[in-house]
Amino acid sequence: EIYQCDWSSDVCSSDLARRWEEALVAGGEAVRLEPDEPEWRRGMAVTLLSRPRPDLPAALAWVDSALELDPHDATLHHLAGVVLDGQRRFGEAARAYEEALRLDPHLDVAHASLATGRASDGRFGEALQMLRGALAHDARSEALQQGYDLVVRSEEQTSELQSH
């Protein structure tokens, strides 16, 4: 429902803003009631990232607090990488993705995120090799296939620009 909204509509925008605020209040209450549950903190981070204007510093604070409770959760490390990427802290994001993959070598979204980061550094061969290896284990993964397609398109566009 949130993604079907026409953001040019003031009514829709104000209605969604109210819903996000309600989600944050509910999430905050969940954290208050179960402070040792990292999942509520993850939910707060995801809610903050899902807004039309994501609050990256607050989202990272929630992810970090969840990681303090569960440092072995690969998906939390991946989420940290996503937030760090959004903050243009690419080296830290890559380390977060690498930690996610150390904890769960089959986490397809972490493979895709790390590979697209490599591609944005111009390391297309390395990125494609990573994605091909991951796709060999999970050929049906949408995240891996989308990452692969993105890297291939980026490499083609870069080659075209360099040839002109």
Side-chain angles (χ1 to χ4, degrees):
E1 187 176 335
I2 288 173
Y3 300 105
Q4 297 172 357
C5 196
D6 174 8
W7 288 105
S8 61
S9 162
D10 290 338
V11 173
C12 187
S13 296
S14 65
D15 184 45
L16 283 177
R18 181 183 50 76
R19 288 186 188 169
W20 264 295
E21 286 308 312
E22 289 171 358
L24 290 172
V25 168
E29 181 64 10
V31 170
R32 188 186 69 73
L33 292 172
E34 291 186 83
D36 295 332
E37 177 54 57
E39 202 56 39
W40 302 133
R41 294 165 190 273
R42 177 198 321 266
M44 291 292 288
V46 169
T47 300
L48 289 162
L49 290 173
S50 300
R51 296 165 74 178
R53 291 186 185 96
D55 185 343
L56 298 174
L60 186 57
W62 282 109
V63 173
D64 287 343
S65 71
L67 280 167
E68 287 176 16
L69 295 170
D70 189 359
H72 303 292
D73 185 325
T75 61
L76 282 173
H77 286 280
H78 175 261
L79 185 57
V82 169
V83 178
L84 291 162
D85 259 341
Q87 292 180 319
R88 306 186 61 76
R89 295 164 59 183
F90 303 122
E92 292 171 84
R95 287 189 292 281
Y97 297 140
E98 288 165 352
E99 180 63 10
L101 290 170
R102 186 188 70 75
L103 294 166
D104 181 356
H106 302 292
L107 187 60
D108 59 352
V109 292
H111 279 285
S113 297
L114 184 58
T116 54
R118 296 285 197 271
S120 40
D121 287 343
R123 296 157 53 187
F124 297 108
E126 183 180 343
L128 290 171
Q129 183 179 2
M130 289 174 65
L131 288 165
R132 284 186 195 114
L135 280 164
H137 294 286
D138 187 1
R140 290 185 271 182
S141 167
E142 275 187 52
L144 293 173
Q145 192 58 56
Q146 288 173 354
Y148 186 86
D149 294 343
L150 178 65
V151 170
V152 168
R153 280 193 312 275
S154 296
E155 183 179 35
E156 289 170 352
Q157 290 171 350
T158 301
S159 293
E160 285 178 24
L161 289 173
Q162 290 174 348
S163 68
H164 287 102

